[in-house]
Amino acid sequence: MKLLHIDSSIMGGNSVSRQLTHNIVAQWRASHPVSVVDYLDLAQDTPSHLSAESMGFRLPPQTETLTDGQRRENAVSEALVSQFLAADVIVLGAPLYNFSIPSQLKAWIDRIAQAGRTFTYTDKGPKGLAGGKTVIVAITRGGVYSTSEAGRAMEHQESYLQTVLGFLGVTDVRFVRAEGVAMGDATKAEALASAAVETRAATQVAANQDQSSLAA
């Protein structure tokens, strides 16, 4: 079993999401010792944002009109999408920055969302091609957004990731949440304790289970 561990926080050793992903991976390996882990730090190895050159993967690689820049960017996109497709389990650190995900994480998503590789369009609409994976997302927030309608309306982090991963065909998405980590020591401690409980639940269930199986 291949596990891809991804961090996107820019906070280094002060990052709560990095702490959560570390714990999730450790507990997953304890429950599933045959897992082989690959690691990607998007804060250190950030793919460039989409541009005329980095959109070159939408053209056949043998296209003679590709520029050298497009060929270089194609190689980056190919490495990232191949790494994503090869993983059975993905542990993804996703802090909340200005009501959404880090731009580094969005740049990665833009590289792996490739027609013909991770999704396709049919006469019945879009169809995800990257199913059969488990994605465990470590969600961290300085404030609390999940307990009120107003808070949920402002949050474009968990809702976005649920949508885009579903678009790619991933139905087994598990969230580990730590909210209110900037609201004082007591609130942060409570958030981490809650996340620890969710981590145990998320890592003890076998991979590649759909949501109905998890709820059963």
Side-chain angles (χ1 to χ4, degrees):
M1 182 183 297
K2 294 182 179 180
L3 185 151
L4 175 58
H5 175 185
I6 301 175
D7 281 319
S8 64
S9 170
I10 62 173
M11 299 302 292
N14 295 319
S15 166
V16 177
S17 69
R18 287 175 182 269
Q19 178 182 341
L20 294 188
T21 62
H22 174 82
N23 293 341
I24 292 167
V25 171
Q27 291 199 36
W28 184 273
R29 296 187 72 181
S31 299
H32 311 277
V34 296
S35 301
V36 176
V37 178
D38 194 9
Y39 182 63
L40 176 61
D41 188 338
L42 291 172
Q44 297 294 323
D45 297 307
T46 309
S48 63
H49 295 290
L50 286 183
S51 65
E53 290 194 334
S54 60
M55 285 291 286
F57 63 75
R58 294 200 171 187
L59 300 173
Q62 68 274 16
T63 302
E64 294 182 0
T65 57
L66 287 181
T67 66
D68 289 342
Q70 285 176 321
R71 294 182 194 280
R72 287 194 300 271
E73 293 296 337
N74 277 0
V76 173
S77 297
E78 178 59 31
L80 292 173
V81 75
S82 296
Q83 184 184 46
F84 170 73
L85 289 171
D88 302 295
V89 179
I90 298 165
V91 176
L92 179 61
L96 182 73
Y97 290 171
N98 298 318
F99 310 112
S100 188
I101 61 173
S103 62
Q104 292 87 347
L105 179 54
K106 179 61 164 59
W108 175 79
I109 291 170
D110 288 340
R111 294 305 188 103
I112 67 166
Q114 296 188 24
R117 300 296 299 279
T118 53
F119 72 93
T120 189
Y121 290 108
T122 73
D123 57 355
K124 296 180 175 61
K127 176 182 178 182
L129 302 177
K133 300 181 184 301
T134 292
V135 179
I136 305 175
V137 186
I139 291 286
T140 56
R141 300 163 179 163
V144 176
Y145 293 81
S146 66
T147 59
S148 69
E149 184 175 345
R152 288 189 292 271
M154 294 170 66
E155 177 271 304
H156 305 287
Q157 169 202 37
E158 180 174 338
S159 55
Y160 169 72
L161 290 171
Q162 184 81 62
T163 298
V164 73
L165 290 168
F167 183 82
L168 300 183
V170 182
T171 58
D172 182 8
V173 183
R174 312 172 190 181
F175 290 96
V176 174
R177 305 170 187 85
E179 289 193 289
V181 298
M183 297 174 65
D185 292 342
T187 303
K188 180 177 180 179
E190 183 179 344
L192 292 177
S194 176
V197 173
E198 293 183 343
T199 295
R200 287 192 292 272
T203 56
Q204 290 175 5
V205 178
N208 303 328
Q209 303 291 308
D210 62 28
Q211 293 297 293
S212 61
S213 298
L214 292 174

